[in-house]
Amino acid sequence: MEGKLLEMFEVGPCEDDYQLGFLIGQRFCNQIRSRLAGDLILQKQLLPFARTPHAQPLLKALSETNQKKFPRYWAELLGTADGSGVLVLDIILVNFRKEILPFISKTTMNSNADTTDDCSDVLIVSDSMAVAAHNEDANVSLVGHTYLIKGKLSNGLSFIAYTYAGELPSCAFGLNSQGLAFTLNSVPPVEDEIVPAGIGRNFVSRDLLEATSTADALARIRSSEVSVGHSYNLIDIQKRMILNVETASRSRVSVHEVGATPFFHANMYLHLQVQQVHDENSISRQKRAAFLPQGSKTDVLSLLGDTEDTKYPIYMTGPTLYTLCTTVIDLDERTLTIIEGNPKYGKVSHVFSMSSNELNLKLVNHAELNLKLVNHAEGTHL
């Protein structure tokens, strides 16, 4: 299965946040409409649920809570709907899917549909290298329905975000001109751990794109009364530091600073004490990673491209879950690289400079990087 070429749209500064969303929606209207039409989770679960009386209080409370906390991003969401010419309800549902799906299980409709999504990260900060590498895994319906947003804000900050069609930037990974980046991993708290109508994770990660420091990023995470937990990998180029931050409802947060011992994170809590769903997929990937070397970039990319476990591979190719891309953030080279295809052999689609000397993020030549990847696959370390 092959997706469309990953496109990047440069937008801003805009007169307001609604216009930012409108221009994004307008530019990617075809991808957004196609994604919504083919998204079985939306069509078979979220939309039928939204039409029931039981859903109305939840949707109303979610909308009001997040609009009050993040009025700018709410305007951006509305602009995305209008710019793409789709119903606001559809955009709301895909942006809050993680906050809504736990409550659909209480109904009889479509309760057996697969709603899982997964990601894998390898994080290392040693004397010889500092790297965060991430597989972006999602439902196969997302193949060909992602894009890059390079946003420029009126305050001078700019960001680049890997974005799911119709969603706020970014529920996947992003970086900004302050030398900060992040990747994300979903985590599965049990139903009793979920607080209805809290802050949506898409809104928190959109807010992280505007963080000015690691401390600011942590404050933004801590200040959000989330409904469902999440795992954030915060990367600070200036400080040569990577933090894994696990969160849960009721303001629970645990921070782990990554060191020389490679840190592999799939989709279960590792250090925050939360009751969670037993996710065999995540557990299998965690066990497999423990047996694989992680001492170099070569090792890391080989691990993220591993398919030895045919039932629960680290690199996924369907039929339900698919690795959309791999990103490698090198804190010493100050680059974020996006690789399409298996990272063992895949091609580099984009490389972004995160140099502290540049206020604007710059796309750098990636032809040489493709050659490096080929060399590394043949045994040469990057």
Side-chain angles (χ1 to χ4, degrees), residues 1 5 24 67 78 85 91 106 112 145-146 152 178 188 192 201 269-271 286 289 330 379 381:
M1 182 184 297
L5 179 68
I24 293 172
Q67 183 178 12
L78 297 180
I91 296 297
K106 297 178 181 179
N112 294 324
H145 297 116
T146 61
K152 297 181 180 180
Q178 299 293 314
D192 290 345
R201 291 181 296 180
Y269 288 100
L270 297 180
H271 47 91
Q286 198 82 38
D330 190 312
H381 287 199

Side-chain angles (χ1 to χ4, degrees), residues 265-340:
H265 202 295
N267 301 99
M268 293 192 70
Y269 288 100
L270 297 180
H271 47 91
L272 181 61
Q273 299 304 306
V274 174
Q275 295 183 59
Q276 57 185 319
V277 177
H278 184 88
D279 179 10
E280 191 61 40
N281 187 326
S282 184
I283 293 171
S284 296
R285 282 180 285 133
Q286 198 82 38
K287 289 180 178 178
R288 175 62 181 163
F291 283 101
L292 297 175
Q294 303 173 41
S296 68
K297 269 193 188 178
T298 302
D299 294 336
V300 168
L301 292 179
S302 180
L303 185 158
L304 291 179
D306 185 77
T307 57
E308 185 70 22
D309 187 329
T310 56
K311 185 176 182 181
Y312 299 121
I314 295 175
Y315 180 79
M316 305 177 185
T317 56
T320 302
L321 295 169
Y322 196 89
T323 301
L324 301 175
C325 69
T326 299
T327 187
V328 180
I329 302 168
D330 190 312
L331 286 73
D332 294 326
E333 294 182 357
R334 302 191 172 206
T335 56
L336 182 149
T337 301
I338 299 175
I339 305 168
E340 296 182 328

Side-chain angles (χ1 to χ4, degrees), residues 190-211:
V190 298
E191 186 176 302
D192 290 345
E193 298 279 4
I194 299 171
V195 174
I199 297 298
R201 291 181 296 180
N202 277 18
F203 283 79
V204 179
S205 53
R206 171 64 184 85
D207 198 38
L208 287 180
L209 289 171
E210 302 191 15

Side-chain angles (χ1 to χ4, degrees), residues 17-133:
D17 300 283
Y18 176 87
Q19 185 189 40
L20 176 66
F22 186 91
L23 292 174
I24 293 172
Q26 186 177 60
R27 172 64 179 80
F28 292 107
C29 62
N30 291 334
Q31 289 95 320
I32 293 172
R33 293 172 185 174
S34 176
R35 183 261 170 105
L36 297 179
D39 190 329
L40 294 182
I41 293 175
L42 172 66
Q43 298 296 334
K44 301 296 185 181
Q45 297 187 81
L46 295 173
L47 278 171
F49 174 72
R51 299 185 185 110
T52 65
H54 176 68
Q56 301 314 306
L58 175 63
L59 295 178
K60 183 175 184 292
L62 272 172
S63 299
E64 291 177 349
T65 300
N66 286 268
Q67 183 178 12
K68 181 179 180 181
K69 172 72 174 177
F70 296 114
R72 290 180 46 228
Y73 309 146
W74 187 260
E76 188 178 321
L77 181 150
L78 297 180
T80 301
D82 290 347
S84 59
V86 303
L87 296 176
V88 173
L89 176 62
D90 289 356
I91 296 297
I92 288 175
L93 292 176
V94 295
N95 275 277
F96 287 121
R97 67 190 186 282
K98 289 294 185 178
E99 287 72 30
I100 298 172
L101 284 170
F103 300 96
I104 297 181
S105 62
K106 297 178 181 179
T107 74
T108 57
M109 67 177 90
N110 302 301
S111 59
N112 294 324
D114 193 333
T115 63
T116 308
D117 62 8
D118 296 273
C119 292
S120 298
D121 279 76
V122 182
L123 313 172
I124 307 171
V125 180
S126 67
D127 291 340
S128 59
M129 69 172 181
V131 170

